[in-house]
Amino acid sequence: MDKILVHGGQSLSGSVRVSGSKNSALPILAACLLTKEPCIIRQVPDLSDVHYMLQILSHLGAEVERASGTVTVRAENIKSVAPYEIVRKMRASVCVLGPLLGREKEATVSLPGGCVIGDRPIDLHLRGFEALGAAVRVECGNVKVFAAKLKGETINLRGKFGSTVLGTDNIMMAAALAEGVTIIEGAAAEPEVVDLANFLNAMGAKIEGAGTRRIVIEGVAELHGAEHSVIPDRIEAGTFMVAAAIAGTRVTLRRVVPDHLKAVSEALIQAGYGIETSRDTLTVVGNGKPKPLELLTEPYPSFPTDMQAQMCALLSEGEGISVITESIFPQRFMHVSELKRMGAQITLEGASAVIKGVERLSGAPVMASDLRASAALVLAGLRASGVTEVNRVYHIDRGYESIDDKLNGLGAQIERVKV
Ligand code: UD1
């Protein structure tokens, strides 16, 4: 198991290329199951979560080829059962349910594992499948969905914590091959949902309204092969933006969609940093320590929950008191106890972290507990005194392509050590 040593105090500058989006690539790869014809997906990031998805597709019978960032999937003959051994490592494996149900009219998928960020149910996905006419059984740790045929319906996917991203993806994929028109109300409007809808439309689906709260899907009899380039990863980009704020003078991100990063940009501007954008680049101009902020995580286009831990790291060193409240995953604060081991002064009050900025964090051995939490610990180490030792690095490799090399390219001093 690797660990990462961050030698703090180096200043970051220069430019870094952002990889393709993990959260787009996973459902888009799953969507390749919807057709017998080959699909070519470009800008697929080299991440362990992507490897798990490719393993799942192979297990289901698809032929998968990968040449650098391009993946070709041929799902000519598939089966519809994904057992625990292959889905347990990643929660996003749940997004094969929609395409399998759409194409085979049945799917059995073990209930997935993944990030330990509180209770993560899939009730809304199942409610959507039922609305399309499928029967749902949950037994022996498996979800089984099956239908004689799927029929379009109006479905409200809004839950207690807002819309569901993978739930919207799953219903869009199943409904693409249903009879008649499906309307998803309370749909997730994240850019990754739009990216999936664009790919499905390239395969011959008829989907309108992706990116809004109301998506209309007119079912078609079959889908065909297509080519697609995955959008840039806005969370990886946001993580580098925060790294630049913590330790940078002037850092430029290449291959980004600045529009997808508005909420993060606004937060950094409010905290005192400069942001410059062009069509596909974004530059963060450093300005020392942040001014205190009040942030609330909410569905897109508001501030993303996937950037909450990194902002905690930024605001831990600074002046005044900041408050970050989680409205999506109220228990997503596992990084807080680790940041406190580095000297951060943070108290948890319900779903809020109250952060009293300190002069400087100090390096310490810390434990990564989920993907974004581990990124936050690496970022915290960038300006901390001494060495920050981040253990359980496999979490970070699930969602960041060579984060150590990319940060070193900007001037950081990070070592990866095999333990
Ligand atoms: C996706 C992202 C993840 C991000 C999250 C929220 C992927 C692979 N992952 O996860 O990085 O943090 O969106 O932006 O795209 N919920 C229910 N019932 C359900 C489904 C969800 O109550 O059936 C709740 C969840 O517990 C959570 C909220 O709805 O409180 C949003 O979750 P959801 O959007 O579904 O997250 P994911 O799609 O799993």
Side-chain angles (χ1 to χ4, degrees):
M1 207 185 301
D2 294 1
K3 66 181 173 187
I4 277 181
L5 302 182
V6 185
H7 299 267
Q10 312 299 316
S11 150
L12 307 187
S13 61
S15 79
V16 59
R17 187 177 186 279
V18 173
S19 300
S21 160
K22 167 180 90 72
N23 288 355
S24 268
L26 296 174
I28 285 173
L29 289 169
C32 297
L33 293 169
L34 283 161
T35 176
K36 287 176 185 273
E37 293 183 12
C39 293
I40 299 172
I41 314 299
R42 301 185 199 284
Q43 303 288 349
V44 178
D46 187 8
L47 304 171
S48 49
D49 269 11
V50 166
H51 298 168
Y52 297 141
M53 181 54 80
L54 297 181
Q55 277 171 17
I56 294 171
L57 298 185
S58 300
H59 174 90
L60 292 169
E63 280 172 39
V64 175
E65 271 169 46
R66 182 179 183 123
S68 88
T70 300
V71 173
T72 305
V73 180
R74 282 183 197 80
E76 208 167 338
N77 299 303
I78 56 168
K79 53 186 177 190
S80 55
V81 180
Y84 185 66
E85 304 80 80
I86 63 158
V87 303
R88 73 186 164 87
K89 290 184 182 148
M90 182 178 67
R91 190 189 136 76
S93 29
V94 73
C95 67
V96 299
L97 272 170
L100 290 177
L101 180 65
R103 176 162 157 192
E104 299 293 298
K105 304 293 176 272
E106 62 172 24
T108 304
V109 175
S110 188
L111 285 167
C115 276
V116 196
I117 51 176
D119 186 23
R120 295 185 73 173
I122 58 163
D123 56 311
L124 297 169
H125 303 229
L126 301 182
R127 194 166 87 191
F129 295 140
E130 279 176 335
L132 291 175
V136 174
R137 305 243 187 292
V138 179
E139 50 196 20
C140 310
N142 295 321
V143 184
K144 181 169 181 176
V145 286
F146 53 100
K149 64 174 183 185
L150 297 175
K151 210 163 168 320
E153 204 22 283
T154 297
I155 303 166
N156 194 326
L157 281 185
R158 205 182 151 73
K160 193 163 71 162
F161 298 103
S163 48
T164 163
V165 176
L166 288 176
T168 303
D169 290 345
N170 251 336
I171 304 310
M172 263 193 328
M173 291 189 276
L177 291 178
E179 270 178 27
V181 175
T182 300
I183 298 174
I184 306 179
E185 303 279 7
E190 270 65 6
E192 296 76 19
V193 173
V194 178
D195 205 24
L196 173 64
N198 287 341
F199 175 55
L200 292 169
N201 283 340
M203 296 172 83
K206 292 189 176 160
I207 301 176
E208 282 179 7
T212 73
R213 297 276 163 227
R214 186 173 193 267
I215 301 179
V216 180
I217 305 137
E218 192 185 326
V220 296
E222 60 179 11
L223 296 172
H224 52 74
E227 285 193 37
H228 184 80
S229 277
V230 172
I231 56 169
D233 195 312
R234 66 192 167 97
I235 305 300
E236 188 202 16
T239 302
F240 284 117
M241 288 167 73
V242 173
I246 288 179
T249 48
R250 192 182 166 85
V251 172
T252 298
L253 312 186
R254 292 177 277 115
R255 195 178 182 259
V256 289
V257 181
D259 243 19
H260 293 171
L261 289 157
K262 270 191 181 151
V264 178
S265 297
E266 276 163 23
L268 290 182
I269 289 167
Q270 230 187 314
Y273 301 96
I275 303 282
E276 296 164 11
T277 58
S278 75
R279 192 181 57 80
D280 62 355
T281 69
L282 186 150
T283 300
V284 179
V285 184
N287 190 22
K289 291 189 180 155
K291 294 186 203 148
L293 292 182
E294 280 201 18
L295 285 175
L296 173 66
T297 69
E298 284 184 304
Y300 188 83
S302 294
F303 194 85
T305 173
D306 285 349
M307 286 300 303
Q308 179 259 112
Q310 300 89 316
M311 286 307 276
C312 278
L314 170 67
L315 296 168
S316 289
E317 274 190 4
E319 281 161 24
I321 293 180
S322 298
V323 180
I324 310 188
T325 303
E326 257 295 339
S327 84
I328 299 179
F329 295 114
Q331 301 163 43
R332 188 178 205 176
F333 287 108
M334 279 77 63
H335 44 284
V336 165
S337 54
E338 301 304 295
L339 289 171
K340 282 166 86 168
R341 303 188 67 248
M342 298 175 71
Q345 289 193 15
I346 308 178
T347 37
L348 289 178
E349 294 178 7
S352 298
V354 180
I355 305 165
K356 185 168 181 296
V358 298
E359 178 57 28
R360 195 153 188 208
L361 297 178
S362 55
V366 287
M367 191 78 88
S369 55
D370 77 47
L371 169 55
R372 306 303 168 187
S374 38
L377 297 173
V378 171
L379 298 193
L382 291 173
R383 196 167 56 193
S385 61
V387 180
T388 302
E389 178 185 315
V390 185
N391 293 286
R392 295 205 188 154
V393 166
Y394 57 87
H395 285 294
I396 223 170
D397 294 331
R398 287 188 38 223
Y400 290 91
E401 201 172 47
S402 326
I403 192 172
D404 38 348
D405 293 343
K406 285 189 176 185
L407 285 171
N408 284 343
L410 293 171
Q413 206 187 326
I414 299 178
E415 289 173 75
R416 189 180 276 256
V417 180
K418 291 238 176 287
V419 189

